[in-house]
Structures are given as structure tokens and as C-alpha cells.
Amino acid sequence: MGKLVIAAGTGFLGNVLVNHFKNKFDEIIILTRGETKISDTIKYVNWDAKRLSGWENELENTDVLINLTGKSVDCRYTVHNKKEILNSRIDSTKILNQAVLLCKKPPLHWLNSSTSTIYRHSIDKEMDEYSGEIGDDFSMNVAKSWEKSFFEIETPRTLKTALRTSIVLGKKGGAFLPLKNLIMFGFGGTQGSGNQFISWIHEKDFARAVEFIINEKLTGIINIVSPKPIKNRDFMKTLQKSLKVVIGIPVGERLLKLEAIMIGTESELVLKSRNVIPKRLNENGFNFEYGDLNKAFDNLIKKL
């Protein structure tokens, strides 16, 4: 393939994609808040994700644009943080829309981050792209606004895909390391009721799914999750077993909320039931390499 541009490509998911695609594209450009430089054949170009300043020229003749921009939701939902979470997603998507429309030869395909958190808390129903029920709270409203800002501007020469991504399990980032540490300290039991579902995906399948979407030219909304959501209690037991840890003290909802305050995050990240399935990936023939949680954990632990 030709040219890949990743906006905000220096974080965990950006590194996962760069490692996956570095030998598959002739040219990779990362839009970053850091300095403009070239390192290991990858070009880093400074941008502030809010305004045009010259970086937009890098979008010319691009085959694939992937936007991963957005302040982490792993924080307290203060008024300030809520504003940053929303604005970081909307501002970057709007300015990229503007930049794409200005291109003489715009990107052929633009994949924009979204989140599987857009669906309501669900114990009773699996959420797919067709019949999934979207709820109404801060996190879900951010996701709705994010996707609206992406799709509301028509880009006739650029395909558009929103990636409703779940928890990505990886060796060097995402949820795996803090969960592993929790279990190693003996606090890896059920979190809250344990009935809430976790939708997850192995980092390699995340990158493979992105490549599949590009190759198949899939557009619209796609859930980037493993085939089968798993209840929290079973997820934690499986990780305990993989790490060969016997003791797993459960943590109730009240204590979880207190701990969340102490470490500067929100208990919703653990307590919300994300019961999401990848219907569009499945019906288009995508094969998961790590669709089984035991296999996913074994792979991640062997790499440690």
C-alpha cells in the first residue's frame, strides 16, 4: 500500500497500528503534538488538533487516514475534564474534515475512532451495529457527538468508517497491565456484582480488524470487539488462572467507587456492562486470531 497518516499516533493504539503497518505501507506519517522529525523512516509532523498550520498538506495523496485523537477517559469526570474529553474529539474531527475537503487529492479512506461505550449498560441484550441501543449519559453523549461531527460533513472522495472500539488488551498499554497488577496483589476477584459484561479485543486483532476494514473498504459504523462478551467475574477468573494466582479478593461497588476517587478515575469504567458484538466484522468474514480469552491472555503473558 501507499501512504498512511495517523493522527495522534504516538499513544498505545497508535504504536499498535504503526508496528502492524510499518512494513505494509510505503510511507507512514504521524500527526503529533510533539516536534516535527523523522525517526525510523516514520515522519512525525506537529499539529495542535484544532487549526490548520501546514500539517494538512500531509493528507494529499494519502491512501488511509486514521484519527485516534481524544483525551483519555481514565480520569475523574470533573467539569474541566469533561470539557477536554468532548472538545479533544470534536475539534480534531472537525479540523480533519476541513483539511480533507481542502485536499486536491484527499485520503481515499478515513477511519475515525469511536467507542463501544456508546451503547447503553446491558445485561440482557447483545449490542450490534444494527439493533444496538444507544443510551443517554455523559460518555454516551460524547460518543454520539463525536460520530455526528465525523459523519455530518460529506466527503465525496473519501470513504468514512467509525471504529466503535472496546477495551484493547495489549502488552504495553490498555487495560491489561493494571488488571494484571491488581491480580498479582491479590485483588483480582469479582468487581462490583460481577454480572457486568466486558467487551474486549486483543491488540493484534484490533490492528488486523483495521487492516481488514481498509482492504474490504467497509464504511459506516463497525464494532471493534471480540466475538463474545464475557462477564466480569469470568474475565477476572480467567486472568487469575492464566497468571497462576490463587487468591482473588472481590471488590464491591462501594469500595470500587472509593478507589476510583483515590486513583483519579471513574468507577463507570469497570461497572458499566459493555455487552457488544462485532456483527459487521463477522458477516464480512473477519477471522479473529485471539477470539478466545484464554488464548489472548496466554499470548500477552508469554510476551511479558
Side-chain angles (χ1 to χ4, degrees):
M1 288 189 270
K3 181 179 176 184
L4 169 66
V5 175
I6 304 178
T10 58
F12 165 53
L13 290 183
N15 287 327
V16 168
L17 292 178
V18 167
N19 288 333
H20 182 79
F21 285 119
K22 62 186 175 184
N23 297 318
K24 297 175 188 269
F25 280 89
D26 301 318
E27 186 180 4
I28 295 179
I29 294 168
I30 306 294
L31 301 181
T32 173
R33 293 181 187 275
E35 63 178 331
T36 297
K37 63 179 182 179
I38 295 176
S39 177
D40 295 330
T41 73
I42 295 170
K43 184 178 181 182
Y44 295 82
V45 176
N46 177 264
W47 80 322
D48 68 357
K50 292 180 182 178
R51 56 187 66 86
L52 303 174
S53 59
W55 57 264
E56 62 274 14
N57 297 324
E58 303 293 344
L59 299 186
E60 292 285 355
N61 296 297
T62 292
D63 293 273
V64 179
L65 165 64
I66 302 174
N67 178 28
L68 303 173
T69 311
K71 175 181 169 59
S72 172
V73 295
D74 186 9
C75 62
R76 293 299 293 169
Y77 289 170
T78 61
V79 172
H80 173 75
N81 284 341
K82 280 183 173 182
K83 186 177 179 181
E84 276 202 14
I85 287 169
L86 177 63
N87 289 349
S88 61
R89 287 157 173 75
I90 304 302
D91 291 347
S92 60
T93 304
K94 282 185 174 180
I95 199 64
L96 282 169
N97 261 318
Q98 187 177 337
V100 166
L101 289 175
L102 287 171
C103 286
K104 292 178 181 177
K105 292 186 177 179
L108 299 178
H109 197 166
W110 174 7
L111 291 78
N112 208 62
S113 282
S114 183
T115 173
S116 62
T117 300
I118 197 168
Y119 301 108
R120 69 166 173 83
H121 175 97
S122 175
I123 302 293
D124 57 306
K125 175 183 175 179
E126 290 182 336
M127 302 294 176
D128 64 36
E129 297 92 336
Y130 304 107
S131 62
E133 297 168 12
I134 295 173
D136 181 22
D137 67 7
F138 168 70
S139 297
M140 290 177 265
N141 290 335
V142 165
K144 285 186 278 188
S145 298
W146 197 3
E147 290 186 2
K148 182 183 177 185
S149 68
F150 178 50
F151 286 117
E152 70 182 353
I153 303 298
E154 290 188 16
T155 53
R157 294 181 290 165
T158 302
L159 302 176
K160 281 182 168 178
T161 311
L163 309 176
R164 288 183 177 172
T165 306
S166 63
I167 294 168
V168 180
L169 302 175
K171 181 193 171 188
K172 295 181 179 178
F176 177 69
L177 288 177
L179 287 171
K180 178 186 81 75
N181 291 335
L182 198 64
I183 282 175
M184 297 305 287
F185 283 114
F187 291 95
T190 296
Q191 297 170 312
S193 70
N195 288 324
Q196 70 272 31
F197 282 95
I198 296 174
S199 289
W200 59 277
I201 190 167
H202 187 284
E203 60 183 346
K204 186 169 184 182
D205 279 338
F206 167 77
R208 289 178 63 248
V210 169
E211 183 177 9
F212 181 82
I213 289 163
I214 294 166
N215 290 339
E216 297 297 318
K217 295 182 172 60
L218 302 181
T219 60
I221 290 159
I222 300 188
N223 293 338
I224 311 294
V225 298
S226 61
K228 194 67 183 170
I230 184 170
K231 287 193 174 183
N232 174 276
R233 65 163 60 90
D234 299 319
F235 182 95
M236 299 304 287
K237 281 180 185 175
T238 303
L239 184 51
Q240 256 187 275
K241 184 179 176 184
S242 295
L243 290 167
K244 297 180 172 59
V245 173
V246 178
I247 297 172
I249 299 169
V251 182
E253 186 171 330
R254 289 177 65 184
L255 184 55
L256 266 175
K257 289 180 177 178
L258 179 60
E259 285 180 349
I261 294 170
M262 291 171 64
I263 64 173
T265 189
E266 289 287 336
S267 59
E268 171 199 293
L269 301 179
V270 173
L271 295 175
K272 179 173 180 178
S273 185
R274 295 169 177 83
N275 194 0
V276 184
I277 59 171
K279 189 162 186 176
R280 290 199 64 201
L281 285 177
N282 285 336
E283 68 187 13
N284 281 282
F286 180 71
N287 293 311
F288 289 84
E289 189 172 335
Y290 294 99
D292 176 77
L293 191 59
N294 285 289
K295 186 177 179 183
F297 282 148
D298 287 347
N299 171 264
L300 293 170
I301 290 164
K302 281 176 188 174
K303 288 165 66 181
L304 291 173

